[in-house]
Amino acid sequence: MLGSKLDILKQEWIDVVFSDRNKAYGAYELRKSNSKRTGQALLIGVTVFVLVVSMPTIINKIKGFIPKAPEKVKITDVVLTPPPPVDQTKKPPPPAPEPPKPKVDQVKFPPPVVKPDDQVVEKDPPTVKELEVADPGQKDQKGDPNAEIRIDEPVGNSDVKQVIESDPNEIFTAVETQPAFPGGLAAFGNYLSKNIRYPAVARENNVQGRVFVQFVVERDGSLTDITVLRGIGSGCDEEAVRVLKKSPKWSPGIQNGRPVRVQYTVPIAFNLASE
């Protein structure tokens, strides 16, 4: 009666097992509906597993349809420290003394002797024998190397002074006319407020304060040697340097009527909007 393949969950086998028994008992009902319940449980389990695995993808899709609220960033005016006052009574340093002129050998001729016409006595030309022993003319005279040179002395009574150019690469900290941003301090503050991008790390950590930056305004108005003297970190120092590197050319500093290199320091403020 029993074959090689036996499936005890088939209905006919369940009826054989529970023949002449109380089929109203719970075991018979459980055996009878076991395959159906197993299929339902498998279907529910697969469905739950698929939902759990695909949940991050579904959440990202839903977030993509919901617009983000714009971040509120408060832009405050940058208050710059005025440059140190220039002492108008202080005179510029005097030029260096004129170097001594080199000593060279000079050839000097004896001064001519001028006689009045009434003292000139006409003589016969000298003979050949007289010329052999006579002095034919003025003699060369070896100059004194320590003598004063008068060849290139200025003519007249005008006061001629030699102007010695100072080092063109010298960096000044105080000059007669300070360098300035095109349009003044108000234009510089407007430039910073439009170009500064508040670092995300600083915004998340609520980092605020001032970054003091030092740089050199070159003779053509460009900014070089940009360094942070005192920073607040979280990307604010690098942002301040980046904005100054993009700055348009400044008006250079003026000393003695010519443009010079000037060292300059400015504070750049980073403030978050109050929420």
Side-chain angles (χ1 to χ4, degrees):
M1 181 176 69
L2 299 176
S4 60
K5 295 182 180 180
L6 179 61
D7 188 0
I8 62 174
L9 298 179
K10 287 186 177 181
Q11 186 64 35
E12 55 268 23
W13 290 108
I14 295 175
D15 293 337
V16 172
V17 173
F18 284 91
S19 61
D20 300 332
R21 295 186 180 181
N22 184 10
K23 293 184 178 181
Y25 185 62
Y28 176 77
E29 293 296 331
L30 291 175
R31 292 289 185 89
K32 185 177 180 181
S33 59
N34 181 63
S35 59
K36 181 179 179 180
R37 294 178 182 274
T38 302
Q40 292 176 350
L42 181 61
L43 179 60
I44 293 172
V46 171
T47 303
V48 172
F49 177 77
V50 172
L51 287 175
V52 171
V53 172
S54 60
M55 186 62 68
T57 304
I58 295 173
I59 293 175
N60 292 334
K61 292 292 183 181
I62 294 174
K63 286 184 177 180
F65 292 106
I66 300 175
K68 294 183 179 179
E71 296 181 354
K72 295 181 180 179
V73 178
K74 182 181 179 181
I75 300 176
T76 58
D77 295 334
V78 178
V79 180
L80 300 179
T81 304
V86 179
D87 188 3
Q88 300 294 339
T89 60
K90 185 178 181 181
K91 296 182 179 180
E98 182 180 356
K101 296 180 179 180
K103 302 293 183 179
V104 295
D105 292 341
Q106 301 181 66
V107 177
K108 291 187 177 181
F109 298 94
V113 178
V114 181
K115 294 183 179 180
D117 294 338
D118 56 354
Q119 296 182 6
V120 177
V121 180
E122 295 184 358
K123 294 182 180 181
D124 294 334
T127 62
V128 176
K129 292 183 179 180
E130 291 176 347
L131 292 176
E132 291 179 354
V133 296
D135 187 359
Q138 298 177 346
K139 297 181 180 180
D140 291 344
Q141 193 173 11
K142 187 174 179 61
D144 184 6
N146 296 321
E148 183 180 0
I149 301 174
R150 298 182 180 179
I151 297 175
D152 57 349
E153 288 292 331
V155 179
N157 298 324
S158 61
D159 186 12
V160 179
K161 296 182 179 180
Q162 183 179 8
V163 179
I164 299 177
E165 187 78 13
S166 61
D167 184 10
N169 294 322
E170 181 181 0
I171 298 177
F172 293 80
T173 56
V175 290
E176 297 172 354
T177 303
Q178 289 289 336
F181 185 87
L185 294 179
F188 183 61
N190 188 27
Y191 165 78
L192 293 178
S193 63
K194 289 182 178 179
N195 291 274
I196 285 181
R197 296 195 296 266
Y198 213 107
V201 177
R203 185 185 298 109
E204 293 175 1
N205 295 328
N206 194 26
V207 176
Q208 304 182 69
R210 288 185 177 183
V211 178
F212 288 83
V213 186
Q214 185 181 80
F215 52 88
V216 175
V217 182
E218 298 291 341
R219 293 187 294 271
D220 61 349
S222 59
L223 307 185
T224 60
D225 299 336
I226 303 174
T227 56
V228 176
L229 296 181
R230 189 176 67 190
I232 57 178
S234 299
C236 296
D237 304 348
E238 293 77 6
E239 179 62 15
V241 173
R242 184 193 68 81
V243 172
L244 288 178
K245 286 183 177 180
K246 292 178 58 181
S247 170
K249 290 187 176 182
W250 290 39
S251 300
I254 303 298
Q255 180 72 10
N256 294 331
R258 60 185 180 88
V260 293
R261 305 176 71 198
V262 181
Q263 189 177 74
Y264 206 84
T265 303
V266 294
I268 298 179
F270 288 82
N271 296 320
L272 287 171
S274 57
E275 297 181 0

